[in-house]
Structures are given as structure tokens and as C-alpha cells.
Amino acid sequence: MSTRSRTLPSLDRTDVTARLRDALLGASFTADGLLDLLGAPAYAALARSETVPALRATRGDTPLETLVRLFLLQQPVPHARVAGVLPLEACLEAGWLVRTGGDEVAATVDVRPYGGPDGEDWFIVSDLGCAVGGAGGIGSRDESVVLGVGGASTTLAGITVRTPVGSALDLGTGSGIQALHAARHATRVTATDVNPRALHIAALTLALSGAPAADLRRGSLFEPVRDDETFDLIVSNPPFVISPGARLTYRDGGMGGDDLCRTLVQRSGERLNAGGFAQFLANWQHVEGEDWQDRLRSWVPRGCDAWIVQREVQDVTQYAELWLRDAGDHRGDTAEYQARYDAWLDEFEARKVQAVGFGWIALRRSDAAEPSITVEEWPHPVEQPLGDTVRAHFDRVDYLRAHDDAALLAGHFRLAAEVVQEQVGLPGAEDPEHVVLRQNRGMRRATKVDTVGAGFAGVCDGTLSAGRILDAIAQLVGEDPVLLRDRTPAQIRLLVEQGFLEPAR
């Protein structure tokens, strides 16, 4: 890293931060403003860390072009141009900018506009050249580098339950993205990180976004949390990469295999208030001779329901290559790259790891006598944000746990919104081979149902009880209503569990 990229703006000059925010907004340095200026192709390229299209689109001298060059493209900009847009001397004094010689100034950090879920204009601060996280090839070997917004960050933000809560904990806050989201609906936000540089940058992100300050604490996992502290919401996008060693703080957990993710999940249960949620992104090992779903079930802490979704699986060679490229090792010395690759495969071979899974883990503290643990693979497209879908999943768990088959038949249901029916069969056939119910929202599931299931779902509008509907279907198809009532609750239960049917009362 260059000298200026090690310099961070002062946290003490809140007045300058407020003036800087006003200036950025006044120049339309926002997510929408960037899209209007750059156009969709250059905007998308910038998200991939490709800067050439944005450089071509900012060859003018408007205030917005000046700010894009300064904060997003990290280009030195003439002193006079910046003075017409920002409170220049104050920004230099506070450390947001530095003189680079001659009549030019440059930014000390990356500042990236970020649109909040309700249209808020936020700004994510990160180290220079590290605005986009994930596997795009950050190319930095500085272990304390702080990344900006990446696919993992936005995924976690999108799946997090956003009900108003008293307290939230962001473990491994990085540049503060999850803490920023939590500040919208949590009275008190605590954020931790092992990297003091990350805590400083997270504070800058919150301040520049106009959000309340968080309680920032240094330490690993739950170390900074007092023994008597519990929370209504815990979120973490941890350094989940399974690697030989802990070379890069922002991604490598420093524990063997997937132990960091396991420890994080197992220890979160005791830190949750009743009804509280804990939501994480994680990697997990697929070990020879072991069911990966059983492995994850063993992580779930006592007293918690869980919904665990595997979104992707990579074999060990793909996985090693992905993260070697993330660190830019493929652009360095060939022999060193091969040695690191070999060490990664040695680590996997020693642990009998055949593949690595990636996905999300959602826990809800229920203290139920028989906790519900759902572990599934779902690599298909979903509709973000999914926070309401996650909350609804656990609401349905509570409903089904409280209703036996008799109570289910007495219940009233309605078909969930955006569910359509598809009939599959040969052209010209009198009857379809099978019927599929498909969701166009949320998880976008599809499930095969028989004629009774399709007919039942089609008339569920909350008016009649499930038993009454089955009696009417039995009369139509000439089936014994008692036998139909006996065999159908399992299918109803599945349709409720997967969100095709919703309790109406």
C-alpha cells in the first residue's frame, strides 16, 4: 500500500464529516447519480473493479465527475477543481485528502455511494483499491486491508430479518456495512472486529452516511462481548475462507478447517435473547464419509431453530484457485503461486475434504422442546431482499409445531401471493402427467402436487377450513372423505412449510 492509503481520516472532526456529506449529496454523488453519469455498462464495470469505462465517462469537469475521479477512481485531481466542490482545506486537515505534489490532491480512502433499502443515500468507506470485496481479485497482500461492498456483504444484508429490535451485534464489521443496515432498526448497535483499522473505517462509514454511531470494540468473535450481554440480532460476514493459515485478516479465520464458522454458530445461541435471530454467511467442508447436512446440524446451538441453505459447492481445486486469485497471487511469482496452491491442497487432503460449500445460516432462539433444523441445498435464483422470507419461515415453524393433524384440518389457509400452477404433460393428452406449484417471489420454489393437492391449493382463500375443502374434493372425485382426511395433512404440512400456503387465521 502507498503512504496515502495507510492514512485514515480523523474521527474527531465530525463537523468536517458532516460538511463533506452535504457536499457529496449536493453534487449528486449517490448511487442513482453515478448510474446517470456513467451509464449502466460503465457502472457495472466499476462494480467489477474495472475502471477504464468510468475513466472515459469522467473526462469532463463537472462536480460529480470530479468526485468520481477523486474517491472512486483514486486519481489525483487539480486543487482548484476540488476546491469548487468540497471544503478542501477542512478535508485536508481532517485527512480525507492529501496533497500529492504540484497543484493536485488525492483521496486517502475509497468512498463509494451505496443506496439503502428505503432509498437512503449512504457512503461506504474502504481502503484504496478495495471497494469491491469477494473474488474479483483485490490483489492486496496487506493483511489489515479493509474491503468495501461485495457480493457477500449485500447477500447478508438482504437476508437479514429487519424487524425493530433493541440491540444488534455485528461480528467482524469490516467497513461497517452490516452495522449501517442494523442502525435503521436497532436501538443499540455493537460492532466488533479484530482489525483496529476496520473499526476506524466502520466509524467513518456510519458518520459519513449520517447514521448513529455504534459501540465499536476490538477483538475476535465474541471476545469483546461481556458475559452478561445478549442481543436481539446477531449478524456476521466472518472471515470464513478455509485456508492453510491466516495470511489475510479480511478473509482467513485463522482456525483449522471450518472451525471458525462452527464456533461462531455454536456460541451465538447463548448470546441471543428469546425470539432473537442470528444470521451468518459461512463456508463448510464436505468431508469424505460424512454427510455435510449432518455436519451442519451438529453446529446448531441448543434452544435454537435453524434454517441452513447451501447456495454453492466447489471442488477443492476450484476453491483454492478462487481465493488465490482473490489475493492476486496469480499475478505474482509463478513458483510462489504454485507453492501456495500445493499447500492448500495438502491442507484439504489431510482433512479428507472433497469440496467446500457456501451459503447462509439463520438461527432463531425459540427454546422449543423439539427444535426445528432445516438444512437444504438451493442453488437456484432467489429474490432479494429475503429478510421477510426468513422471518416467515420461522413463523411457519412455530405454526406447524403448535398444530397437530387434527388442528391442521381445522385450520384455514390461503394461497401465498405470486404462486402459479403449471400442468406438465404431452401435447394433446387428456390429463397432465403432473402438476407443479411455483413461487415467483422469495425462494422461488417449485413443488410437484397430485390432483388433490392442486385442487386444495387452488381453492384456499381462507374461507373454508382445510377439512371442509377436503370433504368437498372427496365428493367430487368419489373418494372416501375419512381416508382423504387421513392421508392429506402431510401434504398440507409440506405446502405450509415451504411457503405455498399461509395460515389465514
Side-chain angles (χ1 to χ4, degrees), residues 36-53:
D36 290 342
L37 171 67
L38 301 178
Y43 188 83
L46 193 60
R48 301 191 300 269
S49 294
E50 294 290 350
T51 59
V52 172

Side-chain angles (χ1 to χ4, degrees), residues 421-499:
Q421 177 179 303
E422 300 174 357
Q423 296 186 352
V424 181
L426 294 174
E430 184 175 345
D431 296 312
E433 293 179 12
H434 59 265
V435 177
V436 173
L437 298 180
R438 187 178 301 278
Q439 301 168 344
N440 287 319
R441 303 294 301 273
M443 292 294 286
R444 294 178 173 165
R445 297 186 187 277
T447 188
K448 188 186 299 185
V449 293
D450 60 17
T451 304
V452 171
F456 179 86
V459 297
C460 278
D461 61 1
T463 304
L464 298 176
S465 69
R468 291 281 301 278
I469 293 173
L470 290 178
D471 289 345
I473 292 175
Q475 186 174 4
L476 286 173
V477 301
E479 186 169 341
D480 186 330
V482 176
L483 294 177
L484 191 60
R485 278 176 171 254
D486 186 57
R487 69 177 176 85
T488 306
Q491 190 172 10
I492 297 174
R493 192 171 293 275
L494 180 63
L495 291 175
V496 173
E497 179 184 334
Q498 294 188 342

